[in-house]
Amino acid sequence: MSMPFYVSPEQLMKDRADFARKGIARGRSVVAVQYADGILFVSENPSQALHKVSEIYDRIAFAAVGRYNEFENLRIAGVRLADMRGYAYDRRDVTGRGLANAYAQTLGTIFSSGGEKPYEVELFVAEIGDDAADDQLYRLTYDGQVADEHGFAVMGGAADVVASYLKERYAANASLDEALRLAVAALGHTADAEDRAIPVDDLEVAVLDRTRSQPRKFSRVRPARLEELLGERGPTASAPEPPAEPADPAASSGSDDPPVAPPIS
């Protein structure tokens, strides 16, 4: 009778975390910036149909990076939870903190379960208040951890490079056009090459704007409005395609023999 391989819990959790982090890093970054009148979301997303940033409820927005089918399922679940809570109790009982806690429980359960792979996603849940001091921005990682962010936050892709650019230049209570130009410049910044000016058609931009007269504070910024806010820029360039996965040497050799492990030294 063969004995099953033993994997320590620490190694199992490390492998699952590495798997999730690699999947998230393959995508493109999403930036959330607090400005004078609300919270701005900017992402490099050429698709006009598959959104990374969406509305959850009146004053609450959702943004995500990673596998689209996984974070879309989470978004739909959040919308349903918010609608049910607002209908059963009161619209004021639907809060960003409550939704962030619900997402944290779901992601934590999936990550620690051995029956399925961890979700390759990271999330923002944002809620605006009556003034800037009441705004809330939560970042949720693949394992269910929740962080309360202030000022700005970045997830996915080259998050460290983008965050360092924002940290050096961010100013509180900026106007919408100032915050937008900063976020777009940060997304186009690269550590080892010349910075890019991202085309407007490749940008997905949305805001939670407390100055809107409607109860629903979420709105998307369309390309024509983006051109007006961004003003004159240099030549634009889309993001380079990610490198192709290396070919399997066993598959390319043309041999039907199974691969043989090297001897243990």
Side-chain angles (χ1 to χ4, degrees):
M1 178 179 178
S2 61
M3 296 294 293
F5 290 106
Y6 172 75
V7 180
S8 67
E10 293 83 0
Q11 184 63 43
L12 179 62
M13 291 297 103
K14 182 181 181 300
D15 290 345
R16 293 173 70 84
D18 290 343
F19 173 84
R21 278 196 293 263
K22 288 178 181 178
I24 294 166
R26 281 194 291 265
R28 296 173 184 173
S29 301
V30 173
V31 174
V33 179
Q34 292 180 270
Y35 70 103
D37 294 328
I39 300 176
L40 167 72
F41 300 92
V42 183
S43 172
E44 186 175 3
N45 181 15
S47 174
Q48 300 298 313
L50 307 180
H51 296 301
K52 294 182 178 181
V53 185
S54 301
E55 180 184 24
I56 293 287
Y57 211 60
D58 293 346
R59 291 171 168 262
I60 302 173
F62 169 98
V65 293
R67 284 191 174 273
Y68 178 80
N69 65 309
E70 294 177 348
F71 69 68
E72 179 66 7
N73 287 336
L74 293 171
R75 183 193 68 82
I76 293 172
V79 171
R80 289 174 177 167
L81 175 63
D83 283 343
M84 289 176 59
R85 186 168 296 174
Y87 178 77
Y89 301 101
D90 189 271
R91 299 184 79 87
R92 291 171 296 180
D93 294 322
V94 182
T95 64
R97 182 187 302 175
L99 284 169
N101 288 336
Y103 281 137
Q105 293 174 18
T106 300
L107 290 171
T109 300
I110 293 172
F111 180 78
S112 59
S113 170
E116 55 184 319
K117 78 172 189 66
Y119 271 18
E120 301 169 60
V121 298
E122 286 193 10
L123 311 178
F124 284 149
V125 176
E127 180 181 11
I128 57 169
D130 293 331
D131 52 55
D134 296 328
D135 293 349
Q136 298 175 5
L137 177 61
Y138 301 99
R139 177 180 177 178
L140 294 99
T141 57
Y142 53 86
D143 57 353
Q145 295 187 53
V146 186
D148 185 12
E149 303 286 354
H150 301 280
F152 64 88
V154 187
M155 61 183 180
D160 293 340
V161 175
V162 177
S164 64
Y165 186 95
L166 287 170
K167 185 176 181 180
E168 295 173 358
R169 296 165 175 82
Y170 173 76
N173 297 318
S175 63
L176 175 59
D177 56 340
E178 292 171 342
L180 177 62
R181 284 195 291 266
L182 174 63
V184 173
L187 288 174
H189 177 66
T190 54
D192 53 359
E194 186 178 354
D195 292 355
R196 297 180 297 117
I198 302 173
V200 167
D201 291 338
D202 288 354
L203 291 171
E204 179 183 356
V205 180
V207 292
L208 284 172
D209 184 359
R210 80 179 97 258
T211 63
R212 295 191 78 200
S213 58
Q214 300 94 329
R216 298 171 63 176
K217 304 301 182 182
F218 179 90
S219 66
R220 298 191 183 276
V221 183
R222 302 301 176 183
R225 176 65 172 153
L226 283 177
E227 292 278 9
E228 179 183 342
L229 291 171
L230 289 172
E232 291 295 329
R233 298 187 295 161
T236 59
S238 299
E241 293 297 325
E245 293 291 332
D248 185 357
S252 60
S253 64
S255 173
D256 293 333
D257 296 332
V260 179
I264 300 175
S265 57

